[in-house]
Amino acid sequence: MKIKEIQDEIVDEFSMFDDWMQRYEYIIELGKSLPLIKEEFKTDDNLIKGCQSKVWLKGEQNEDKIIFTADSDAILTKGIIAILIRTFSNQKASDILDADMSFIDEIGLKEHLSPTRANGLVSMIKNIKMYALAFNTKK
């Protein structure tokens, strides 16, 4: 499935909820399905800087796609990274770099997060794009 299709699917899912309490609960649920990072990768190198809570992210190249795994010590943050991994894992580096991020605004995520969590979200996206940039140059 292409990135845009996954983003549209996520926007549709979020539109089913009437209020933000339901959306927060859904984000927390999504976090429970997160492909977890192996304990050995929970290192400072894989820790995302700029997040209030601890978030570890690992990207590995598998043929021409990048597979992401992650974990967080906070349930809401775990859900946020789960949304990003669902969107960008198993995609080509060039597609990740070209991806439009407006779906984040469409679901209203950034505006409903505390400033520190919104900064963390930006840092997560930046890290995913940096992995894509690194793997894109290894052709």
Side-chain angles (χ1 to χ4, degrees):
M1 196 183 277
K2 297 215 175 294
I3 291 174
K4 181 71 178 119
E5 294 169 338
I6 297 168
Q7 291 173 336
D8 290 344
E9 207 174 77
I10 292 169
V11 169
D12 286 347
E13 289 166 15
F14 273 81
S15 70
M16 292 188 299
F17 300 107
D18 297 329
D19 63 43
W20 262 94
M21 282 317 295
Q22 292 175 321
R23 289 178 183 184
Y24 286 133
E25 286 169 21
Y26 184 60
I27 292 169
I28 291 166
E29 277 305 305
L30 290 173
K32 294 175 182 172
S33 66
L34 180 67
L36 289 182
I37 194 170
K38 291 180 183 157
E39 284 298 317
E40 69 210 58
F41 296 128
K42 283 189 175 181
T43 61
D44 285 347
D45 286 346
N46 293 324
L47 205 56
I48 295 179
K49 314 289 180 269
C51 285
Q52 182 180 358
S53 44
K54 289 189 174 181
V55 180
W56 297 270
L57 176 72
K58 177 86 173 131
E60 295 180 296
Q61 198 160 19
N62 183 354
E63 292 172 24
D64 64 340
K65 305 234 166 105
I66 304 175
I67 310 297
F68 289 104
T69 55
D71 199 3
S72 175
D73 61 355
I75 55 172
L76 189 64
T77 309
K78 194 181 252 195
I80 294 168
I81 193 73
I83 291 169
L84 296 176
I85 285 184
R86 177 174 157 193
T87 307
F88 297 111
S89 192
N90 222 2
Q91 301 290 340
K92 292 180 180 175
S94 57
D95 293 341
I96 295 170
L97 291 170
D98 293 341
D100 179 0
M101 299 306 294
S102 60
F103 86 105
I104 298 285
D105 295 325
E106 282 183 60
I107 61 176
L109 192 55
K110 216 183 283 179
E111 66 187 274
H112 285 91
L113 294 175
S114 66
T116 50
R117 282 228 167 84
N119 286 342
L121 170 64
V122 170
S123 296
M124 290 177 210
I125 293 168
K126 196 167 98 184
N127 275 47
I128 287 170
K129 295 243 180 193
M130 284 173 58
Y131 268 112
L133 194 60
F135 289 132
N136 201 37
T137 56
K138 286 185 178 178
K139 287 183 177 172

